[in-house]
Amino acid sequence: MDMLHGFMVDWQIVDGHEVEAALADGWFLTPTEAAESLKVVPPVTEVPADDAPVTRVELETKAKELGMKFDGRTTDKKLGELIAAKLAG
Protein backbone atom coordinates (compact mmCIF):
# COMPACT_ATOMS: atom_id res chain seq x y z
CA MET A 1 0.00 0.00 0.00
CA ASP A 2 1.09 3.56 -0.70
CA MET A 3 -0.09 7.01 0.31
CA LEU A 4 -1.21 9.03 -2.70
CA HIS A 5 -2.96 12.39 -2.61
CA GLY A 6 -3.77 11.91 1.07
CA PHE A 7 -5.35 8.47 0.87
CA MET A 8 -4.09 4.90 0.90
CA VAL A 9 -3.94 3.04 -2.40
CA ASP A 10 -3.01 -0.51 -3.26
CA TRP A 11 -1.50 -1.46 -6.59
CA GLN A 12 -2.08 -4.54 -8.71
CA ILE A 13 -0.16 -5.30 -11.90
CA VAL A 14 -2.09 -7.32 -14.45
CA ASP A 15 -1.48 -8.56 -17.98
CA GLY A 16 -3.53 -7.04 -20.77
CA HIS A 17 -5.96 -9.96 -20.84
CA GLU A 18 -6.57 -9.65 -17.04
CA VAL A 19 -7.64 -5.99 -17.11
CA GLU A 20 -11.36 -6.63 -17.60
CA ALA A 21 -11.46 -9.13 -14.72
CA ALA A 22 -9.60 -6.72 -12.41
CA LEU A 23 -12.01 -3.90 -13.29
CA ALA A 24 -14.95 -6.23 -12.63
CA ASP A 25 -13.44 -7.02 -9.19
CA GLY A 26 -13.50 -3.34 -8.25
CA TRP A 27 -10.02 -2.22 -9.29
CA PHE A 28 -9.46 1.01 -11.23
CA LEU A 29 -7.07 1.87 -14.03
CA THR A 30 -5.72 4.98 -12.27
CA PRO A 31 -5.55 6.37 -8.72
CA THR A 32 -7.60 9.34 -9.93
CA GLU A 33 -10.43 7.02 -11.00
CA ALA A 34 -10.30 5.33 -7.60
CA ALA A 35 -10.44 8.70 -5.81
CA GLU A 36 -13.37 9.83 -7.93
CA SER A 37 -15.27 6.66 -7.09
CA LEU A 38 -14.88 7.49 -3.39
CA LYS A 39 -15.88 11.11 -3.99
CA VAL A 40 -12.37 12.07 -2.89
CA VAL A 41 -10.78 14.79 -4.95
CA PRO A 42 -6.98 14.78 -4.83
CA PRO A 43 -5.56 18.17 -3.86
CA VAL A 44 -4.46 20.33 -6.75
CA THR A 45 -1.09 21.92 -6.33
CA GLU A 46 -0.53 24.97 -8.41
CA VAL A 47 2.74 25.07 -10.27
CA PRO A 48 4.13 28.58 -10.67
CA ALA A 49 4.99 29.77 -14.15
CA ASP A 50 8.60 29.37 -15.20
CA ASP A 51 9.01 33.13 -15.18
CA ALA A 52 7.67 33.51 -11.63
CA PRO A 53 10.06 35.36 -9.32
CA VAL A 54 12.08 33.30 -6.88
CA THR A 55 10.52 33.28 -3.42
CA ARG A 56 12.34 33.86 -0.14
CA VAL A 57 11.66 30.25 0.87
CA GLU A 58 13.30 29.02 -2.34
CA LEU A 59 16.31 31.27 -1.76
CA GLU A 60 16.72 30.11 1.83
CA THR A 61 16.33 26.46 0.85
CA LYS A 62 19.01 26.75 -1.82
CA ALA A 63 21.34 28.68 0.49
CA LYS A 64 20.99 25.98 3.15
CA GLU A 65 21.66 23.25 0.55
CA LEU A 66 24.86 25.08 -0.38
CA GLY A 67 25.88 25.44 3.28
CA MET A 68 25.73 29.23 3.17
CA LYS A 69 25.27 31.44 6.20
CA PHE A 70 22.67 34.20 6.15
CA ASP A 71 20.15 35.78 8.48
CA GLY A 72 16.95 37.80 8.40
CA ARG A 73 18.89 40.96 7.55
CA THR A 74 20.12 39.45 4.28
CA THR A 75 17.90 40.84 1.53
CA ASP A 76 16.40 38.61 -1.12
CA LYS A 77 18.49 40.38 -3.76
CA LYS A 78 21.73 39.91 -1.82
CA LEU A 79 20.93 36.27 -1.03
CA GLY A 80 20.25 35.63 -4.71
CA GLU A 81 23.57 37.23 -5.63
CA LEU A 82 25.44 35.17 -3.03
CA ILE A 83 23.84 31.96 -4.30
CA ALA A 84 24.68 32.84 -7.92
CA ALA A 85 28.29 33.56 -6.97
CA LYS A 86 28.55 30.27 -5.06
CA LEU A 87 27.12 28.30 -7.98
CA ALA A 88 29.44 30.07 -10.43
CA GLY A 89 32.37 28.67 -8.55
Side-chain angles (χ1 to χ4, degrees), residues 1-9 11:
M1 289 202 137
D2 294 312
M3 181 67 90
L4 182 68
H5 300 299
F7 61 97
M8 296 299 295
V9 295
W11 302 91

Side-chain angles (χ1 to χ4, degrees), residues 3 8 10 16 30 40 56 87:
M3 181 67 90
M8 296 299 295
D10 200 3
T30 67
V40 174
R56 178 66 184 204
L87 292 173

Side-chain angles (χ1 to χ4, degrees), residues 14-59:
V14 296
D15 290 330
H17 65 279
E18 298 173 320
V19 172
E20 292 300 319
L23 293 173
D25 284 341
W27 290 91
F28 297 91
L29 289 176
T30 67
T32 301
E33 289 178 11
E36 288 171 355
S37 76
L38 298 171
K39 306 276 190 265
V40 174
V41 179
V44 176
T45 56
E46 212 170 294
V47 177
D50 287 341
D51 60 346
V54 178
T55 66
R56 178 66 184 204
V57 171
E58 292 170 324
L59 289 169

